[in-house]
Amino acid sequence: PFADSLVRSLNKKSARELEQAGRVRDQAITKLDEFGEFGSGRAVSQINDILDEQAKLGGTANKQLAAELNDFKAELSKASDFSLKKDLRTQLIKKVKAFGRAEDTAPAAELQKVKSALDKDMIDFARKNDKVATRKWLSSNRKFASELGAAKDTELKRILQSGETTPEKVMPILRGGKPSEL
């Protein structure tokens, strides 16, 4: 009972922290949306570089990676405001994680390069227009990462200590993690 109440308490605290970070993030993004459209020059350039490398490989190129990049580039060109680019960034993070769990993790590294370039595009735009909103947005991103990581670790420890550990209970917690964690 003590362990269960402790886990419930930690989950409530984590949920409150995530909710607060979500509010801060939403406020910052709403503010940044007011500044209108902006380009994604670094991200597009990075995509083009990777696509060029894949084209040089000819028949041995990673067709799935090339398709993902072409699709992402097309969507990125349509996305005009900060919110849409943030949503595309979130989708890209999911794809990085999915490729990271695959047998061949090289595409994950390539997609990570695109994500990093998009991050720089977004941060530059945000800093140029509203430094306070930028700090709030970046801070909320760090808070989300921290809280979700702590919640995953806490839940995994609880399951392992309960003695009722099965792959079915552990795998959902680890899903989305690095192959080394799995």
Side-chain angles (χ1 to χ4, degrees):
F2 174 72
D4 289 340
S5 67
L6 181 62
V7 168
R8 277 193 304 277
S9 174
L10 287 171
N11 286 340
K12 284 180 186 177
K13 178 192 175 291
S14 181
R16 279 192 309 272
E17 294 286 334
L18 290 172
E19 186 179 324
Q20 181 180 355
R23 280 194 304 273
V24 169
R25 177 188 281 179
D26 290 345
Q27 291 169 357
I29 290 170
T30 299
K31 182 66 178 167
L32 292 168
D33 276 345
E34 293 174 8
F35 296 100
E37 296 184 18
F38 69 100
S40 304
R42 284 187 181 106
V44 170
S45 177
Q46 186 66 55
I47 290 170
N48 289 337
D49 290 348
I50 296 168
L51 288 173
D52 288 346
E53 290 172 17
Q54 291 297 309
K56 289 177 188 174
L57 294 173
T60 61
N62 187 320
K63 290 169 185 51
Q64 186 181 6
L65 174 62
E68 291 287 348
L69 288 171
N70 279 315
D71 291 346
F72 189 75
K73 183 178 170 183
E75 292 303 318
L76 199 54
S77 69
K78 294 179 203 173
S80 56
D81 65 9
F82 200 86
S83 292
L84 292 172
K85 288 192 174 143
K86 173 205 57 92
D87 293 343
L88 286 174
R89 178 183 174 272
T90 300
Q91 292 303 314
L92 186 59
I93 290 168
K94 290 177 183 177
K95 290 183 186 303
V96 168
K97 288 180 180 181
F99 274 108
R101 289 188 302 269
E103 192 172 313
D104 177 12
T105 59
E110 298 299 318
L111 291 176
Q112 182 60 43
K113 290 177 188 176
V114 175
K115 182 208 162 285
S116 295
L118 181 58
D119 285 347
K120 289 177 184 174
D121 287 334
M122 293 174 75
I123 291 169
D124 284 352
F125 171 80
R127 283 185 177 147
K128 183 174 73 174
N129 289 294
D130 191 324
K131 291 184 186 325
V132 173
T134 303
R135 280 193 302 275
K136 287 181 178 182
W137 174 60
L138 293 172
S139 172
S140 68
N141 285 347
R142 285 189 295 275
K143 190 64 165 174
F144 271 106
S146 171
E147 284 300 318
L148 292 174
K152 182 174 88 171
D153 292 346
T154 300
E155 183 66 11
L156 181 58
K157 287 176 188 174
R158 186 187 69 74
I159 286 174
L160 291 173
Q161 290 173 346
S162 73
E164 299 174 10
T165 306
T166 65
E168 291 78 15
K169 290 183 179 180
V170 175
M171 289 308 289
I173 296 169
L174 293 178
R175 195 171 13 136
K178 298 176 184 171
S180 60
E181 289 174 337
L182 295 175

